[in-house]
Amino acid sequence: MTGLLGREEVSASATAALVSAGSKKERERGGNLLADLEGFGDGAAEKLRFSSFEVDPWRKSEQLRWLLIRFQIAAGRFLGFLSCERVWLFVVVLLRNTISCISYTELMDQWAHQLDQWVHQLEPWMHQGKQWIHQLDQRIRQQPAEQLYVALAVLLLTSFFLLLRVFKRTKSNTIVLAGLSGSGKTILFYQLRDGTTHQGTVTSMEPNEGSFVLHSESVKPGKIKPVRIIDVPGHSRLRPKLDEFLPQACGIIFVVDALDFLPNCRAAAEYLYDILTKATVVKRKIPVLVVCNKTDKVSAHSKDFIRKQLEKEVDKLRATRTGASAADIADEFTLGVSGEAFVFSQCHNKVTIAEASGLTGETSQVEQFIREHVRP
């Protein structure tokens, strides 16, 4: 028979040989052949062609018959392996990675070549630098030791003063105005800026900010350092804006309405307590000036009365806030000394009390506080 021995013909031949086999050895050989046919791909056997090859199914030589069948199985497996898509996918990925490695190697070679060129260009400068160092060393060795010590001392002093000047320049010049709505913060802001009250102002919804020389210093000769003053709105919903400016502040002015103090004492104490326990204020020890505004009025309370009332209210708040959960006060510090009545002198930072009047322009104590922390 000439042509193709398919999978069915090979299986039939193997089964017939297994049935007709007489010896135990021949039966085992036929069983192994049938086991091999289990892994023989369905499409691989059809790809095996034999042109001009005669196979006699009735050939008496069983050894040649077994050999032909096993050869066809092996050839079919090889062709089935070549037809597998995973093999070709592996070959494509391998080629792509090889090309990528070649491109990366070429890029690295270009960089290395460019680096060599730069080093070659820097060699004259390096050589010139070595010559200068050698000449400087010779001149230093020729100088007397006393002159070298004097020059070194001058260099150290100059460096020290330069660093000191840079440090002074980096010091903050920001003063933050805080307090309840209606306490007179905005009027104080305008008095400090241009000496006017700006009558008719309404409650601020956005911070008033300006960098200027204090109005009382505008007539002084010489160069005076300007002050950056920020008036933060006192409405409870707008108070979080204060946290944006505290990291830049070198001082805080907390304004209290001395004329209408008692009805707002609790609210003012709560706001002041929040400021004094903020981590930024405590860690940086930002000084606080409590300004009793509107003291020009006859019925206004004195600064000593306001200080004592605020200390009492803060002491009450300290007792209630201590019982709060750790999650609520994670960003706060405790005030005062345990077991003692609270006073402002127990704070981590300096707290002072002053009087002022935005309407009459009496702001001397406020300006003194500003110039203590923002040098002119």
mmCIF file of all heavy atoms in Angstrom, residues 5 10 33 40 48-50 53 64-78:
data_model
loop_
_atom_site.group_PDB
_atom_site.id
_atom_site.type_symbol
_atom_site.label_atom_id
_atom_site.label_comp_id
_atom_site.label_asym_id
_atom_site.label_seq_id
_atom_site.Cartn_x
_atom_site.Cartn_y
_atom_site.Cartn_z
ATOM 1 N N LEU A 5 -0.204 6.413 6.156
ATOM 2 C CA LEU A 5 -0.662 5.557 7.247
ATOM 3 C C LEU A 5 -1.236 6.467 8.322
ATOM 4 O O LEU A 5 -0.502 7.125 9.055
ATOM 5 C CB LEU A 5 0.502 4.743 7.812
ATOM 6 C CG LEU A 5 0.884 3.470 7.048
ATOM 7 C CD1 LEU A 5 2.038 2.797 7.726
ATOM 8 C CD2 LEU A 5 -0.293 2.533 6.937
ATOM 9 N N VAL A 10 -2.815 3.011 11.832
ATOM 10 C CA VAL A 10 -1.740 2.608 12.726
ATOM 11 C C VAL A 10 -2.305 1.931 13.958
ATOM 12 O O VAL A 10 -1.819 0.908 14.426
ATOM 13 C CB VAL A 10 -0.905 3.844 13.114
ATOM 14 C CG1 VAL A 10 0.136 3.478 14.149
ATOM 15 C CG2 VAL A 10 -0.213 4.420 11.892
ATOM 16 N N LEU A 33 2.860 0.297 22.384
ATOM 17 C CA LEU A 33 2.556 1.031 21.166
ATOM 18 C C LEU A 33 1.205 1.719 21.267
ATOM 19 O O LEU A 33 1.028 2.875 20.887
ATOM 20 C CB LEU A 33 2.601 0.076 19.969
ATOM 21 C CG LEU A 33 2.276 0.700 18.613
ATOM 22 C CD1 LEU A 33 3.251 1.812 18.306
ATOM 23 C CD2 LEU A 33 2.312 -0.367 17.529
ATOM 24 N N PHE A 40 -0.682 10.797 20.721
ATOM 25 C CA PHE A 40 -0.435 11.192 19.343
ATOM 26 C C PHE A 40 -1.487 12.213 18.919
ATOM 27 O O PHE A 40 -2.681 11.921 18.962
ATOM 28 C CB PHE A 40 -0.480 9.930 18.488
ATOM 29 C CG PHE A 40 -0.037 10.180 17.062
ATOM 30 C CD1 PHE A 40 0.915 11.153 16.786
ATOM 31 C CD2 PHE A 40 -0.556 9.438 16.027
ATOM 32 C CE1 PHE A 40 1.326 11.355 15.490
ATOM 33 C CE2 PHE A 40 -0.142 9.641 14.730
ATOM 34 C CZ PHE A 40 0.799 10.597 14.455
ATOM 35 N N LEU A 48 1.823 13.529 8.074
ATOM 36 C CA LEU A 48 2.911 12.614 7.736
ATOM 37 C C LEU A 48 2.595 11.941 6.409
ATOM 38 O O LEU A 48 1.576 11.270 6.253
ATOM 39 C CB LEU A 48 3.084 11.570 8.850
ATOM 40 C CG LEU A 48 4.299 10.664 8.731
ATOM 41 C CD1 LEU A 48 5.573 11.485 8.725
ATOM 42 C CD2 LEU A 48 4.327 9.661 9.863
ATOM 43 N N ARG A 49 3.439 12.176 5.434
ATOM 44 C CA ARG A 49 3.244 11.622 4.101
ATOM 45 C C ARG A 49 4.452 10.765 3.736
ATOM 46 O O ARG A 49 5.604 11.082 4.077
ATOM 47 C CB ARG A 49 3.107 12.756 3.063
ATOM 48 C CG ARG A 49 1.867 13.635 3.237
ATOM 49 C CD ARG A 49 0.623 12.876 2.842
ATOM 50 N NE ARG A 49 -0.510 13.768 2.713
ATOM 51 C CZ ARG A 49 -1.249 14.161 3.720
ATOM 52 N NH1 ARG A 49 -0.951 13.768 4.926
ATOM 53 N NH2 ARG A 49 -2.271 14.962 3.517
ATOM 54 N N PHE A 50 4.150 9.677 3.033
ATOM 55 C CA PHE A 50 5.204 8.827 2.467
ATOM 56 C C PHE A 50 4.903 8.635 0.990
ATOM 57 O O PHE A 50 3.825 8.145 0.624
ATOM 58 C CB PHE A 50 5.247 7.446 3.139
ATOM 59 C CG PHE A 50 5.694 7.504 4.568
ATOM 60 C CD1 PHE A 50 4.761 7.478 5.586
ATOM 61 C CD2 PHE A 50 7.044 7.592 4.885
ATOM 62 C CE1 PHE A 50 5.163 7.524 6.891
ATOM 63 C CE2 PHE A 50 7.431 7.646 6.208
ATOM 64 C CZ PHE A 50 6.496 7.598 7.210
ATOM 65 N N PHE A 53 6.356 4.530 -0.984
ATOM 66 C CA PHE A 53 6.828 3.606 0.063
ATOM 67 C C PHE A 53 5.757 2.529 0.227
ATOM 68 O O PHE A 53 4.622 2.821 0.574
ATOM 69 C CB PHE A 53 7.012 4.369 1.383
ATOM 70 C CG PHE A 53 7.661 3.515 2.470
ATOM 71 C CD1 PHE A 53 9.029 3.456 2.579
ATOM 72 C CD2 PHE A 53 6.878 2.776 3.343
ATOM 73 C CE1 PHE A 53 9.623 2.677 3.549
ATOM 74 C CE2 PHE A 53 7.485 2.010 4.313
ATOM 75 C CZ PHE A 53 8.851 1.958 4.424
ATOM 76 N N LEU A 64 10.098 -5.592 11.310
ATOM 77 C CA LEU A 64 10.012 -4.459 10.404
ATOM 78 C C LEU A 64 8.688 -3.731 10.558
ATOM 79 O O LEU A 64 8.607 -2.506 10.488
ATOM 80 C CB LEU A 64 10.190 -4.935 8.948
ATOM 81 C CG LEU A 64 10.118 -3.822 7.889
ATOM 82 C CD1 LEU A 64 11.195 -2.771 8.148
ATOM 83 C CD2 LEU A 64 10.266 -4.415 6.499
ATOM 84 N N ARG A 65 7.626 -4.505 10.826
ATOM 85 C CA ARG A 65 6.305 -3.888 11.012
ATOM 86 C C ARG A 65 6.276 -2.992 12.255
ATOM 87 O O ARG A 65 5.790 -1.855 12.220
ATOM 88 C CB ARG A 65 5.264 -4.994 11.132
ATOM 89 C CG ARG A 65 3.836 -4.474 11.151
ATOM 90 C CD ARG A 65 2.884 -5.646 11.160
ATOM 91 N NE ARG A 65 1.521 -5.208 11.038
ATOM 92 C CZ ARG A 65 0.478 -6.021 11.062
ATOM 93 N NH1 ARG A 65 0.668 -7.324 11.178
ATOM 94 N NH2 ARG A 65 -0.747 -5.551 10.957
ATOM 95 N N TRP A 66 6.847 -3.487 13.350
ATOM 96 C CA TRP A 66 6.907 -2.667 14.575
ATOM 97 C C TRP A 66 7.755 -1.414 14.329
ATOM 98 O O TRP A 66 7.433 -0.305 14.785
ATOM 99 C CB TRP A 66 7.508 -3.468 15.744
ATOM 100 C CG TRP A 66 6.622 -4.551 16.278
ATOM 101 C CD1 TRP A 66 6.836 -5.886 16.224
ATOM 102 C CD2 TRP A 66 5.376 -4.378 16.962
ATOM 103 N NE1 TRP A 66 5.816 -6.586 16.807
ATOM 104 C CE2 TRP A 66 4.886 -5.648 17.292
ATOM 105 C CE3 TRP A 66 4.602 -3.265 17.319
ATOM 106 C CZ2 TRP A 66 3.697 -5.847 17.968
ATOM 107 C CZ3 TRP A 66 3.422 -3.486 17.999
ATOM 108 C CH2 TRP A 66 2.977 -4.774 18.311
ATOM 109 N N LEU A 67 8.832 -1.550 13.614
ATOM 110 C CA LEU A 67 9.732 -0.427 13.349
ATOM 111 C C LEU A 67 9.038 0.665 12.534
ATOM 112 O O LEU A 67 9.161 1.865 12.820
ATOM 113 C CB LEU A 67 10.974 -0.931 12.613
ATOM 114 C CG LEU A 67 12.033 0.140 12.282
ATOM 115 C CD1 LEU A 67 12.562 0.771 13.558
ATOM 116 C CD2 LEU A 67 13.164 -0.483 11.486
ATOM 117 N N LEU A 68 8.279 0.270 11.511
ATOM 118 C CA LEU A 68 7.578 1.248 10.681
ATOM 119 C C LEU A 68 6.527 2.009 11.489
ATOM 120 O O LEU A 68 6.367 3.223 11.354
ATOM 121 C CB LEU A 68 6.922 0.538 9.497
ATOM 122 C CG LEU A 68 7.879 -0.002 8.431
ATOM 123 C CD1 LEU A 68 7.101 -0.807 7.406
ATOM 124 C CD2 LEU A 68 8.636 1.112 7.761
ATOM 125 N N ILE A 69 5.812 1.292 12.325
ATOM 126 C CA ILE A 69 4.764 1.946 13.120
ATOM 127 C C ILE A 69 5.378 2.949 14.103
ATOM 128 O O ILE A 69 4.916 4.082 14.251
ATOM 129 C CB ILE A 69 3.915 0.887 13.852
ATOM 130 C CG1 ILE A 69 3.147 0.047 12.831
ATOM 131 C CG2 ILE A 69 2.967 1.541 14.837
ATOM 132 C CD1 ILE A 69 2.400 -1.124 13.425
ATOM 133 N N ARG A 70 6.445 2.565 14.784
ATOM 134 C CA ARG A 70 7.075 3.461 15.750
ATOM 135 C C ARG A 70 7.695 4.680 15.061
ATOM 136 O O ARG A 70 7.679 5.796 15.589
ATOM 137 C CB ARG A 70 8.151 2.720 16.542
ATOM 138 C CG ARG A 70 7.566 1.806 17.610
ATOM 139 C CD ARG A 70 8.657 1.334 18.556
ATOM 140 N NE ARG A 70 8.086 0.621 19.671
ATOM 141 C CZ ARG A 70 7.566 1.178 20.762
ATOM 142 N NH1 ARG A 70 7.541 2.489 20.839
ATOM 143 N NH2 ARG A 70 7.070 0.455 21.731
ATOM 144 N N PHE A 71 8.238 4.480 13.877
ATOM 145 C CA PHE A 71 8.803 5.605 13.134
ATOM 146 C C PHE A 71 7.717 6.615 12.770
ATOM 147 O O PHE A 71 7.895 7.822 12.863
ATOM 148 C CB PHE A 71 9.499 5.068 11.862
ATOM 149 C CG PHE A 71 9.961 6.196 10.970
ATOM 150 C CD1 PHE A 71 11.098 6.936 11.285
ATOM 151 C CD2 PHE A 71 9.253 6.520 9.817
ATOM 152 C CE1 PHE A 71 11.523 7.967 10.455
ATOM 153 C CE2 PHE A 71 9.674 7.551 8.997
ATOM 154 C CZ PHE A 71 10.824 8.265 9.323
ATOM 155 N N GLN A 72 6.550 6.098 12.363
ATOM 156 C CA GLN A 72 5.468 7.007 12.004
ATOM 157 C C GLN A 72 4.968 7.769 13.237
ATOM 158 O O GLN A 72 4.649 8.951 13.175
ATOM 159 C CB GLN A 72 4.323 6.227 11.366
ATOM 160 C CG GLN A 72 3.214 7.145 10.821
ATOM 161 C CD GLN A 72 2.204 6.386 10.004
ATOM 162 O OE1 GLN A 72 2.336 5.176 9.853
ATOM 163 N NE2 GLN A 72 1.247 7.078 9.472
ATOM 164 N N ILE A 73 4.895 7.133 14.380
ATOM 165 C CA ILE A 73 4.456 7.803 15.611
ATOM 166 C C ILE A 73 5.436 8.908 15.982
ATOM 167 O O ILE A 73 5.061 10.051 16.313
ATOM 168 C CB ILE A 73 4.314 6.783 16.756
ATOM 169 C CG1 ILE A 73 3.142 5.833 16.469
ATOM 170 C CG2 ILE A 73 4.117 7.500 18.087
ATOM 171 C CD1 ILE A 73 3.006 4.710 17.470
ATOM 172 N N ALA A 74 6.733 8.614 15.940
ATOM 173 C CA ALA A 74 7.749 9.616 16.301
ATOM 174 C C ALA A 74 7.715 10.802 15.349
ATOM 175 O O ALA A 74 7.799 11.962 15.766
ATOM 176 C CB ALA A 74 9.131 8.958 16.300
ATOM 177 N N ALA A 75 7.580 10.506 14.043
ATOM 178 C CA ALA A 75 7.529 11.596 13.065
ATOM 179 C C ALA A 75 6.283 12.452 13.261
ATOM 180 O O ALA A 75 6.314 13.680 13.150
ATOM 181 C CB ALA A 75 7.573 11.016 11.648
ATOM 182 N N GLY A 76 5.151 11.840 13.557
ATOM 183 C CA GLY A 76 3.918 12.593 13.796
ATOM 184 C C GLY A 76 4.020 13.485 15.020
ATOM 185 O O GLY A 76 3.538 14.610 15.042
ATOM 186 N N ARG A 77 4.645 12.995 16.066
ATOM 187 C CA ARG A 77 4.823 13.820 17.264
ATOM 188 C C ARG A 77 5.686 15.036 16.965
ATOM 189 O O ARG A 77 5.426 16.141 17.434
ATOM 190 C CB ARG A 77 5.468 12.989 18.376
ATOM 191 C CG ARG A 77 4.502 12.065 19.079
ATOM 192 C CD ARG A 77 5.170 11.359 20.214
ATOM 193 N NE ARG A 77 4.222 10.588 20.998
ATOM 194 C CZ ARG A 77 4.555 9.843 22.035
ATOM 195 N NH1 ARG A 77 5.814 9.748 22.397
ATOM 196 N NH2 ARG A 77 3.645 9.163 22.691
ATOM 197 N N PHE A 78 6.737 14.826 16.201
ATOM 198 C CA PHE A 78 7.634 15.942 15.872
ATOM 199 C C PHE A 78 6.894 17.020 15.076
ATOM 200 O O PHE A 78 7.005 18.208 15.345
ATOM 201 C CB PHE A 78 8.833 15.416 15.080
ATOM 202 C CG PHE A 78 9.778 16.495 14.636
ATOM 203 C CD1 PHE A 78 10.602 17.131 15.559
ATOM 204 C CD2 PHE A 78 9.819 16.888 13.312
ATOM 205 C CE1 PHE A 78 11.459 18.133 15.156
ATOM 206 C CE2 PHE A 78 10.683 17.890 12.911
ATOM 207 C CZ PHE A 78 11.513 18.507 13.833
#
